[in-house]
Amino acid sequence: MIDRPLDLDAVQAFVRITELGSFTRAAEVMQTTQAGISQKLKRLEDRLGCRLLERTPRHVELSARGAAFLGHARELLAVHDRAVVAFASARQRLTIGISDHVAGPELPALIARMNAQDAQLLIDIRIGSSGDLLQSFDRRELDTVIVRLHAGRTDGELLAEERFGWFAAAGWQHRGGEPLPLATMAEPCGVRALAGQLLDAAGIPWTEVFVGGGVAAVAAAVTAGLGVAALAPRMLPLGCVDVGPKLGLPDLPRLPVLLHSRVREGRPRDAVDALSAAFRSVARS
């Protein structure tokens, strides 16, 4: 028989550090400080009598004993959650809108993190343009939205500022004397409008050669060699290159990612905090 049970908060801290690869991001999710997270991990390691994580200035890695314990830790937390949910109130729903320019290829992993945070929370996610999602949020059709900075809005919590570039397929060549061929999102799109304004201000002629209903479609057009698109690097497949410096195109600013939410407490807020920390992670990487 075990004489002293494990501290569930400490076990959760260990799992969060492992999933997010950072003490700082784990602290954001658990709404504590980095020092608090470190204390929880030390308490767990002292209780188990072994080192679970190896820390370096740049990385956090599982030790051999940590890798062996991780599955047990997740199982322990899952059993605890099931026990709590069995006596909890009716299932709660969280409706989230995410801008297509923000969601990106990491969306499945981000949804998985939210599910890991609370598997019993019903998550309803809508993808759309920042402007449309903000209108839905203002009509109280959405609990939370994560969007690009939108003209005329000064509210919202800053999650990250993401780098953008002018991307084209490797080997794509601009024909001299012709307008710059652009692949863009359909209107209304703030990134599309910004790209056009910057090119006009720099006196660079351009023309739309492809209009997509989503970022995935625009990225596909770029990969197919149709032209250039203003996108975040993480939105594009490997092999695409930033042709801005080569073509003398104007620098694109770092664009803010903002959280708007009326969720303030409870399990839905915990899920929103987990999603926010995950977006900070992918946007800064």
Side-chain angles (χ1 to χ4, degrees):
M1 180 176 177
I2 299 175
D3 60 345
R4 186 159 49 96
L6 296 177
D7 182 333
L8 284 176
D9 279 345
V11 174
Q12 186 179 48
F14 164 67
V15 172
R16 292 289 175 260
I17 295 166
T18 302
E19 291 175 341
L20 297 171
S22 164
F23 280 71
T24 301
R25 292 167 189 157
E28 290 175 354
V29 170
M30 296 187 68
Q31 296 182 296
T32 185
T33 63
Q34 185 173 338
I37 287 288
S38 297
Q39 289 173 359
K40 291 177 190 292
L41 180 65
K42 183 179 185 303
R43 193 159 63 241
L44 180 62
E45 289 179 329
D46 288 347
R47 174 65 186 85
L48 294 175
C50 65
R51 196 171 184 82
L52 299 174
L53 295 173
E54 301 295 345
R55 298 90 153 166
T56 69
R58 291 180 176 270
H59 302 287
V60 176
E61 295 181 355
L62 284 168
S63 68
R65 299 294 297 277
F69 179 65
L70 181 59
H72 297 295
R74 286 174 169 156
E75 183 179 358
L76 177 61
L77 293 175
V79 170
H80 169 267
D81 290 345
R82 288 196 296 270
V84 171
V85 168
F87 294 93
S89 58
R91 194 176 193 189
Q92 291 180 279
R93 184 190 193 100
L94 177 62
T95 306
I96 302 172
I98 304 176
S99 165
D100 197 34
H101 263 293
V102 174
E106 302 89 357
L107 184 58
L110 299 179
I111 293 173
R113 284 186 186 175
M114 291 187 69
N115 182 255
Q117 175 72 28
D118 189 342
Q120 297 303 313
L121 182 66
L122 179 58
I123 301 170
D124 181 349
I125 290 184
R126 322 276 177 87
I127 305 296
S129 71
S130 294
D132 289 344
L133 293 175
L134 282 168
Q135 289 181 21
S136 296
F137 177 75
D138 290 340
R139 292 194 298 265
R140 306 186 75 84
E141 296 169 359
L142 299 172
D143 301 313
T144 296
V145 294
I146 297 179
V147 295
R148 294 275 174 214
L149 178 65
H150 195 68
R153 300 291 293 240
T154 57
D155 55 335
E157 174 190 344
L158 179 66
L159 296 184
E161 291 185 328
E162 191 164 35
R163 181 172 68 86
F164 268 62
W166 301 96
F167 286 93
W172 176 85
Q173 296 292 326
H174 180 212
R175 296 175 182 175
E178 295 186 1
L180 182 72
L182 284 188
T184 70
M185 289 266 287
E187 294 187 81
C189 173
V191 175
R192 175 191 182 280
L194 174 65
Q197 291 166 5
L198 290 173
L199 291 172
D200 290 342
I204 297 174
W206 58 279
T207 184
E208 284 181 325
V209 295
F210 180 88
V211 178
V215 171
V218 174
V222 169
T223 305
L226 272 65
V228 178
L231 291 171
R234 67 185 176 89
M235 299 293 180
L236 289 151
L238 291 175
C240 292
V241 295
D242 189 346
V243 296
K246 177 183 176 181
L247 299 180
L249 303 180
D251 291 338
L252 288 160
R254 298 181 74 89
L255 297 181
V257 178
L258 298 173
L259 170 75
H260 300 259
S261 182
R262 60 178 56 89
V263 179
R264 295 288 178 261
E265 59 186 17
R267 292 162 49 203
R269 185 65 213 187
D270 291 341
V272 169
D273 290 339
L275 184 62
S276 299
F279 266 112
R280 290 188 180 99
S281 176
V282 300
R284 292 173 184 171
S285 60

